[in-house]
Amino acid sequence: DAGVIQSPRHEVTEMGQEVTLRCKPISGHNSLFWYRQTMMRGLELLIYFNNNVPIDDSGMPEDRFSAKMPNASFSTLKIQPSEPRDSAVYFCASSPTGDEQFFGPGTRLTVL
Amino acid sequence: AQSVTQLDSQVPVFEEAPVELRCNYSSSVSVYLFWYVQYPNQGLQLLLKYLSGSTLVKGINGFEAEFNKSQTSFHLRKPSVHISDTAEYFCAVSPWGATNKLIFGTGTLLAVQP
């Protein structure tokens, strides 16, 4: 298996622009997670889905952030409008019904 | 609620020396405990986990950790490190039975020097 796939790996954009991050989980995994990693706040869970349904979005910082999972093999995290403080590495992870999460390589977002 | 404390932000060590990375947690309920490793420019990879049973847990790459309930600790150890072990190590906790709710520590950078 190719593991969790994220695209793009790097994104540089200007403040106010819309940003869409993409994730393909490992086939057969029921849960999908979006994390944000920054120097100041460390690794934070933004949202997680179970069987394509959002279960807990309490970590989503504000209404500018939204996440969707239209099917079992694809999820997006959208920021609109983006701000410089959104600059971070965003990780997607997936998990079978169990106890281990498998992380993707991350998307490094820079908002100028 | 749960929380994780990794007191050491960076641990320098010489190659072939032993190392211990410290992790303490706080929780009002029983927990599961994890150690993840993050190599430069990569995602996190599970090293080992404690769910139940033996308090000494062995993981990949020669690492092991011991769950100490009375001290609420889950320190990671390796008897002899290699240059390739240089990475960021994260301790994480989840409430028992709710492994979807991982709470991560701030990480410890293990810097192995020749």
Side-chain angles (χ1 to χ4, degrees), chain A residues 46-96:
Chain A
L46 300 177
I47 185 172
Y48 85 87
F49 295 83
N50 193 47
N51 293 324
N52 312 339
V53 177
I55 302 299
D56 184 354
D57 65 354
S58 59
M60 297 286 264
E62 48 198 275
D63 292 345
R64 297 184 297 107
F65 285 69
S66 62
K68 294 182 179 180
M69 192 166 185
N71 57 61
S73 59
F74 183 66
S75 177
T76 60
L77 178 68
K78 185 176 294 186
I79 308 173
Q80 167 62 21
S82 58
E83 296 182 3
R85 60 193 169 116
D86 302 330
S87 297
V89 180
Y90 290 83
F91 288 103
C92 176
S94 69
S95 176

Side-chain angles (χ1 to χ4, degrees), chain A:
Chain A
D1 198 317
V4 176
I5 299 172
Q6 291 187 247
S7 64
R9 292 294 309 276
H10 301 273
E11 176 81 32
V12 180
T13 190
E14 293 187 347
M15 183 174 61
Q17 296 298 306
E18 177 180 295
V19 175
T20 300
L21 310 182
R22 297 173 176 80
C23 175
K24 177 178 169 54
I26 294 173
S27 177
H29 284 193
N30 297 329
S31 298
L32 183 140
F33 308 81
W34 282 101
Y35 290 90
R36 178 172 66 177
Q37 185 179 39
T38 62
M39 289 292 292
M40 292 296 295
R41 300 176 67 90
L43 199 61
E44 305 172 279
L45 175 66
L46 300 177
I47 185 172
Y48 85 87
F49 295 83
N50 193 47
N51 293 324
N52 312 339
V53 177
I55 302 299
D56 184 354
D57 65 354
S58 59
M60 297 286 264
E62 48 198 275
D63 292 345
R64 297 184 297 107
F65 285 69
S66 62
K68 294 182 179 180
M69 192 166 185
N71 57 61
S73 59
F74 183 66
S75 177
T76 60
L77 178 68
K78 185 176 294 186
I79 308 173
Q80 167 62 21
S82 58
E83 296 182 3
R85 60 193 169 116
D86 302 330
S87 297
V89 180
Y90 290 83
F91 288 103
C92 176
S94 69
S95 176
T97 303
D99 47 52
E100 179 175 354
Q101 295 185 22
F102 294 78
F103 283 75
T107 295
R108 183 174 296 277
L109 173 64
T110 302
V111 183
L112 303 174

Side-chain angles (χ1 to χ4, degrees), chain B residues 25-47:
Chain B
Y25 70 93
S26 174
S27 177
S28 57
V29 300
S30 297
V31 296
Y32 295 152
L33 293 156
F34 306 81
W35 276 99
Y36 280 82
V37 60
Q38 184 179 27
Y39 298 103
N41 299 315
Q42 295 186 26
L44 280 70
Q45 177 184 0
L46 182 68
L47 265 181

